Amino acid sequence: MAANKTSGGKAMLAELEPPMIDQLFRSNNAEIGGDTIAAAEYPAFLRELESVRSNGFAANFEGTEEGVSALGMALHNRHGHVVGALSVATPATRFRRVFDAGLVPALRETCRQLEIDIAANPAEPD
């Protein structure tokens, strides 16, 4: 699935510098690979990434599959670099109830625990 459509993908993309986002979605290479975001949609996409940065999570409201919504957060290694993301998907009809019941803090704590494990078991030595 396209990173710009999924909650985990958007959480990871939000951590990239703007020139890299442009390279991924507005360059000739993006066009060749079929990853271009239309010029009319691009400003809204950048605003969404800014919102992800400030909130610390990304959402996907039926953007990849009808009837499914998801919340995602980036996972970091001990150096603070993004190494992946964690997403929780739920039927769209229950998303608001799950969100209001504490999904963000629960996901944040799960990510924190996973990042402790990632830091303790690095894929590459220092």
Side-chain angles (χ1 to χ4, degrees):
M1 290 188 201
N4 63 309
K5 301 288 185 194
T6 67
S7 60
K10 289 187 266 189
M12 293 177 6
L13 289 170
E15 303 226 5
L16 298 175
E17 296 294 327
M20 179 58 74
I21 299 293
D22 289 342
Q23 180 72 22
L24 289 170
F25 297 106
R26 297 297 304 153
S27 69
N28 288 335
N29 289 339
E31 190 172 326
I32 291 168
D35 296 322
T36 302
I37 296 175
E41 298 170 9
Y42 196 63
F45 175 66
L46 294 178
R47 285 191 300 275
E48 183 177 14
L49 292 183
E50 185 57 40
S51 177
V52 171
R53 281 184 209 100
S54 64
N55 292 327
F57 63 86
N60 167 5
F61 302 107
E62 300 185 83
T64 54
E65 189 170 332
E66 187 176 325
V68 178
S69 294
L71 191 82
M73 292 182 183
L75 291 169
H76 304 85
N77 64 17
R78 63 182 164 180
H79 303 293
H81 300 122
V82 175
V83 295
L86 182 64
S87 294
V88 174
T90 184
T93 56
R94 289 191 288 188
F95 184 81
R96 177 44 99 185
R97 189 174 19 175
V98 172
F99 184 88
D100 290 344
L103 180 58
V104 171
L107 189 57
R108 193 168 279 136
E109 176 59 19
T110 302
C111 285
R112 188 183 76 75
Q113 290 293 327
L114 286 169
E115 288 174 343
I116 290 169
D117 289 345
I118 291 166
N121 300 289
E124 298 176 9
D126 285 332

